[in-house]
Amino acid sequence: MCGIVGIVDAGGVSHSLYYALFALQHRGQESAGISTWDGSSFYKYKGMGLVSEVFSEQNLKELKGHVGVGHVRYPTTGANLPENTQPFNFRFQDHHFAIAYNGNLVNAADLRTEFELQGEIFSTTTDTEVVASTIVDEFRRSGKIEEAIIHCMHVLRGSYSVILMLDGIIYAFRDPVGIKPLCIGTTEKGFMVASESVAIDTLGGTLIRDVQPGELFRITEKGFEAMQIAVADRRAHCIFEYIYFARADSVIEGKLVYDIRRKIGASLYDEAPVKADLVSPVPDSGTSVAVGFAHHSGIPYLEALMKNRYTGRTFIKPSREERERAVRLKLNPIIGHIKGKKVVLVDDSIVRGTTSRRIVGMMKESGAAEVHVRIGSPQIIAPCYLGVDMPTREELIASTRPVDEVKDSIAATSLHHVSLEALVKAIGIDRENLCTGCLTGKYPLSIEGESCLSRNIDFVIGSYQAKLGSFPPDKTAA
Ligand code: AMP
């Protein structure tokens, strides 16, 4: 997971990066960092915790310069260690590099071993450092960063959206099948790239478009240009971004995620209609799906649960007991809305089943007559190797149990998951161009011990290059 941002602007960028990271905080809460460049010197600051905990006014002031990158981390590969915080900063032959990375490599261990056999040392356990070594390996030979990134695209296997700052120039690129999101937009006086468009909104900028799979952007003080350097025969956008991970107010591939989730809610009613007194979301992840369900069914939308917004994410608590307590702390049932009522509860997904079991329990304790659970994703049956923090098959409640057993296990009156067909239709991208690994156990890349859905991805290195925008930003560019 993780959230990344890069900005080139006319004035100082540290505050803009800070606010952009705030907008991306949902993508990672473990650590945050910013690196900047003022034309001659490099500045960096990072630490463990939320964006608001890591930065102070003083250290934002000290992050000087008009170019910078930022990162919020949610660990997928690499332990919860201070040295794994990003951006990953290093010097090579008097060049200053900062890398912010989102994704997960399936061949990181092999690449690391190859480098180690050549005598290279690593100071973190992250994939990011492997990306850095791969880039430097080629940069050392050719002295050309574009060539190094092309080399990277040949060598890396997995998901990667990367923002690299090299001596004050921003390079942003996305893996050839576009698993993790990345988009480009304007700021008031410059340009930015970010994981999600909400970061651009927050800075008052305008979304230009998504960075295309296999595309490389180069952003300087003069403007930006794009190069399509890899063309795959399919795409594999992460379906879980649409289900849960992206913010509902983000626009991905030209579509507002909120609207996609509302459509999912409408399909949930069509697929499993129910007579009930109210439709309530499990806040906040189920909200837009519940809105769609309520509008489509005509059943009143009324919240049965209030969320305490100051508790952090329950998922990141390590033990099951701790997670269960955290759910109780996080959500309070509104008994007056529930007692004697037939309630439809809508959430985005069931992973281990802890949340649903606890919440259905709360509804029953609050006197609900019936609790119908509707879920905005098909059953999650398989782990993710491409960047979403998902537990193992053994921990996934649906990996070995049919829906009926899960329904009994969470003690719901009824349970329905939206079908993959309806989900894909709501997203509006062909199924072959989505990564559905967690829902089908079939992955778009070959992964040891797992089945691969499609032909191998071949990509060709194209040479098209386009000048797309220049300063001051043309808001209609591209
Ligand atoms: P569980 O209690 O394990 O079934 O978790 C399900 C809840 O966690 C759902 O309500 C989701 O909103 C949320 N969720 C699903 N996947 C993730 C993830 N990868 N990281 C954090 N939260 C998640």
Side-chain angles (χ1 to χ4, degrees), residues 147-263:
E147 306 254 316
I149 293 169
I150 290 171
H151 170 71
C152 231
M153 289 213 189
H154 269 302
V155 171
L156 305 181
R157 281 206 311 110
S159 64
Y160 51 91
S161 284
V162 179
I163 304 177
L164 162 73
M165 180 172 71
L166 169 58
D167 301 334
I169 297 178
I170 295 280
Y171 296 88
F173 57 99
R174 210 170 157 202
D175 68 69
V177 290
I179 298 172
K180 294 279 107 190
L182 192 64
C183 58
I184 179 153
T186 59
T187 59
E188 202 183 326
K189 294 185 186 135
F191 291 101
M192 65 186 288
V193 269
S195 296
E196 288 182 43
S197 62
V198 285
I200 300 169
D201 299 343
T202 302
L203 300 187
T206 306
L207 169 69
I208 296 174
R209 65 168 170 85
D210 293 75
V211 173
Q212 293 303 297
E215 193 176 33
L216 165 66
F217 271 83
R218 179 175 181 273
I219 313 174
T220 68
E221 289 152 53
K222 297 202 180 93
F224 69 87
E225 55 191 356
M227 285 162 259
Q228 187 68 46
I229 58 174
V231 182
D233 60 1
R234 64 161 293 175
R235 293 173 168 218
H237 302 303
C238 168
I239 204 162
F240 207 67
E241 290 278 347
Y242 294 99
I243 293 170
Y244 169 76
F245 208 51
R247 262 175 57 167
D249 49 341
S250 277
V251 173
I252 308 181
E253 298 293 324
K255 295 206 180 79
L256 181 65
V257 174
Y258 197 112
D259 290 344
I260 291 171
R261 293 185 185 157
R262 276 196 311 154
K263 284 186 191 155

Side-chain angles (χ1 to χ4, degrees), residues 179 234 236-240 379-386 390 393 396 420 431 434-445 447 450-451 453:
I179 298 172
R234 64 161 293 175
H237 302 303
C238 168
I239 204 162
F240 207 67
Q379 289 190 291
I380 296 172
I381 57 161
C384 178
Y385 301 91
L386 297 169
M390 280 289 180
R393 276 196 172 78
L396 289 168
L420 184 55
R431 186 169 164 177
L434 291 164
C435 175
T436 60
C438 58
L439 309 177
T440 59
K442 297 193 177 98
Y443 299 87
L445 307 172
I447 292 163
E450 299 286 358
S451 52
L453 189 63

Side-chain angles (χ1 to χ4, degrees), residues 1 26 29 74 240 243-245 282-286 313-316 323 327 330 347-357 359 375 380 387-391 395-397:
M1 311 212 277
H26 63 291
Q29 304 87 40
Y74 190 127
F240 207 67
I243 293 170
Y244 169 76
F245 208 51
V282 176
D284 290 321
S285 52
R313 289 199 170 198
T314 54
F315 209 87
I316 57 179
R323 270 198 302 271
V327 175
K330 190 161 141 182
D347 203 358
D348 65 294
S349 59
I350 296 180
V351 180
R352 299 178 178 88
T354 321
T355 312
S356 314
R357 193 175 302 115
I359 288 171
I375 301 292
I380 296 172
V388 177
D389 180 35
M390 280 289 180
E395 289 174 291
L396 289 168
I397 191 168

